Amino acid sequence: QVQLVESGGEVVQAGGSLRLSCAASGRTFSRYAMGWFRQAPGKEREFVAAISGTGGTTYYGASVRGRFTVTRDNAKNTEALQMNTLKPEDTAVYYCAQYSQSDVDSNPQYWGRGTQVTVSA
């Protein structure tokens, strides 16, 4: 059974940085692309970033490109999201996700329960 557990969410001031982590278990981690999504109150879930199984290819949503960096450690079965220059509009619940193959396809197969990030002005 695949489990994804996020950590690292907290309250941070605008302009600050935060690092989220996701610990995965249940199947061979390196075989699957990983991603981050977020959902703010009253809004639809939004794609943030994704990384291929090998880590060689990354993707970013337009609103975070240049500020956020997604990485993975296949030896430790973890994914991370480094968030810099945070803005109040980055406030959301952030979800870790795992895709069904090594390349990023249309929709993730598994989801974590989320971690709250709040950016104060």
Side-chain angles (χ1 to χ4, degrees):
Q1 181 179 358
V2 173
Q3 288 192 327
L4 305 174
V5 180
E6 303 94 337
S7 62
E10 62 181 67
V11 179
V12 62
Q13 287 190 335
S17 297
L18 202 59
R19 184 177 179 87
L20 304 183
S21 294
C22 173
S25 62
R27 58 183 185 179
T28 305
F29 184 70
S30 61
R31 293 182 179 176
Y32 302 97
M34 297 292 295
W36 290 95
F37 290 73
R38 67 187 183 186
Q39 188 166 21
K43 295 187 177 181
E44 293 186 354
R45 188 170 291 186
E46 175 190 14
F47 169 76
V48 175
I51 185 167
S52 64
T54 64
T57 305
T58 55
Y59 306 85
Y60 295 94
S63 61
V64 307
R65 190 174 294 119
R67 300 188 297 123
F68 291 11
T69 303
V70 60
T71 57
R72 65 188 297 156
D73 185 335
N74 286 345
K76 296 181 178 179
N77 292 355
T78 57
E79 177 195 28
L81 183 69
Q82 178 66 41
M83 305 186 293
N84 297 329
T85 319
L86 283 161
K87 305 175 182 180
E89 50 264 43
D90 293 318
T91 295
V93 177
Y94 283 72
Y95 296 91
C96 173
Q98 189 175 72
Y99 291 83
S100 60
Q101 58 181 1
S102 182
D103 296 323
V104 176
D105 53 16
S106 57
N107 293 303
Q109 187 175 11
Y110 294 100
W111 296 87
R113 298 183 67 177
T115 186
Q116 176 70 47
V117 172
T118 302
V119 183
S120 61

